[in-house]
Amino acid sequence: MASENHRVQKKKATGAFFFFMATLIMWAVSVFFEILFNKRIELLPLVAGFSLYQIANWVCRKFISRDPILVNTCVSLLHSSLTSTSVVFILVKQLTSNGLDELFEHSQLVEATWPWAYSALCISCGYFAYDQLDMLLYGLYSGWIPSILLHHFILLGCFTLALYRNVTINYLILTLICELHSIFLHVRKVRRMAGLRDAKNKFVKIEWFFNMSTFVLARLLSHVLILVKLVKDAAKFEKGIELPLALFGMVGMNLLNVFLGIDLFNAFKKEITQHNIHES
């Protein structure tokens, strides 16, 4: 316990901690200013989302484990499950109501807001703020420029500005389809913490199949297609911050996806290698 506290305190003395904590505090001040002074009550689901996942964190600590990594993973699994379910629900509802052509029409993605999409985006944005705070408080990151903190920093910036201006909400809902893949990322983490690492185990094989297939379809391919769509429709955007912000966010997400894909491949190769060593 003492060594763990020393590790966390050491990370809190780094430049990464101060930078990302400062940006998170500024983000929180901005959100409360919009709600309290500009009467933006439609942003309340954002606060509700943060509170929901913080409560889930406390419940996990009380009834499951006090291990910060396990608690963070369990709450992240809850977020991925709820968000992917809500995104699929929203998309299916729009497909049945308006058809595929209208679903991906430029004005629909930029100017319109599908039913439940704004609230779903708020709740997810609240989760990213919660997760950023949890990782900072418990030192659940590594490196001079931690990719996970940078990932949340980009998402909070893009999501919050879109919510403030009420534009590109539907575009951002499409990006959240990647949470289908995040489910299996978190399942793998929980599975390994539970000690199940046998590459020949049927459950492990099924998990890796869904992990890889959802990575390609729900994360890698979907984000590439969204970036292609943005570039193709660039001339249809009005002058302003929307297009540059959207391009910046999607380029950043696609780069992070490449690094994630490399990590996934290396993790898969490592599990197979370890299994072969044990069998030999």
Side-chain angles (χ1 to χ4, degrees):
M1 181 62 74
S3 61
E4 177 66 19
N5 288 336
H6 177 71
R7 182 188 67 82
V8 173
Q9 292 303 320
K10 191 175 179 181
K11 285 195 174 183
K12 286 184 178 180
T14 62
F17 175 85
F18 288 111
F19 173 79
F20 287 107
M21 182 60 80
T23 56
L24 187 60
I25 291 171
M26 288 190 291
W27 173 87
V29 169
S30 170
V31 169
F32 280 106
F33 181 86
E34 287 293 320
I35 294 173
L36 296 175
F37 294 99
N38 291 338
K39 310 298 182 185
R40 298 287 301 275
I41 59 172
E42 68 270 20
L43 291 170
L44 285 175
L46 195 157
V47 180
F50 178 90
S51 302
L52 168 68
Y53 293 110
Q54 186 61 64
I55 291 169
N57 182 296
W58 291 333
V59 170
C60 287
R61 287 186 185 280
K62 186 171 180 62
F63 296 105
I64 299 177
S65 170
R66 296 188 66 83
D67 179 4
I69 297 177
L70 179 58
V71 171
N72 183 271
T73 304
C74 289
V75 178
S76 296
L77 178 57
L78 174 65
H79 166 257
S80 298
S81 302
L82 292 178
T83 301
S84 56
T85 301
S86 64
V87 169
V88 170
F89 170 78
I90 290 168
L91 292 178
V92 169
K93 192 173 185 300
Q94 285 305 117
L95 277 171
T96 54
S97 300
N98 303 312
L100 188 63
D101 290 338
E102 188 174 340
L103 184 72
F104 297 111
E105 202 273 322
H106 176 76
S107 61
Q108 273 287 312
L109 293 174
V110 176
E111 300 164 12
T113 303
W114 298 321
W116 304 103
Y118 194 94
S119 295
L121 198 64
C122 278
I123 292 170
S124 204
C125 191
Y127 161 78
F128 289 119
Y130 146 78
D131 201 39
Q132 188 85 322
L133 180 62
D134 191 60
M135 287 187 293
L136 286 167
L137 292 178
Y138 292 97
L140 305 178
Y141 56 91
S142 60
W144 288 101
I145 306 176
S147 60
I148 186 64
L149 297 182
L150 185 61
H151 170 264
H152 285 12
F153 174 75
I154 292 172
L155 287 178
L156 279 174
C158 293
F159 280 30
T160 307
L161 284 173
L163 290 168
Y164 285 176
R165 298 171 65 88
N166 201 12
V167 292
T168 66
I169 302 298
N170 297 340
Y171 252 123
L172 291 173
I173 287 294
L174 290 179
T175 67
L176 285 176
I177 199 69
C178 69
E179 292 301 330
L180 281 168
H181 171 241
S182 296
I183 291 174
F184 299 100
L185 279 182
H186 302 316
V187 166
R188 175 180 177 271
K189 203 169 180 180
V190 172
R191 181 258 296 175
R192 287 179 61 81
M193 284 189 283
L196 183 57
R197 303 187 178 199
D198 183 3
K200 262 198 160 184
N201 183 281
K202 185 180 290 187
F203 175 80
V204 175
K205 288 181 177 180
I206 293 171
E207 177 225 292
W208 268 117
F209 170 78
F210 282 109
N211 202 324
M212 292 299 195
S213 58
T214 54
F215 169 75
V216 172
L217 297 174
R219 187 180 293 275
L220 190 65
L221 184 60
S222 67
H223 284 176
V224 168
L225 289 175
I226 291 169
L227 180 58
V228 170
K229 173 71 173 171
L230 283 171
V231 173
K232 183 181 177 183
D233 291 347
K236 298 179 182 178
F237 280 85
E238 295 182 4
K239 288 185 178 179
I241 196 174
E242 287 83 6
L243 179 60
L245 186 64
L247 288 173
F248 168 76
M250 289 314 303
V251 168
M253 291 299 296
N254 277 283
L255 282 174
L256 289 171
N257 287 343
V258 171
F259 296 133
L260 176 59
I262 294 170
D263 289 342
L264 268 180
F265 176 75
N266 288 335
F268 177 72
K269 189 168 65 172
K270 184 178 179 181
E271 281 201 359
I272 295 296
T273 303
Q274 286 176 342
H275 172 73
N276 292 336
I277 290 174
H278 289 314
E279 282 208 330
S280 60

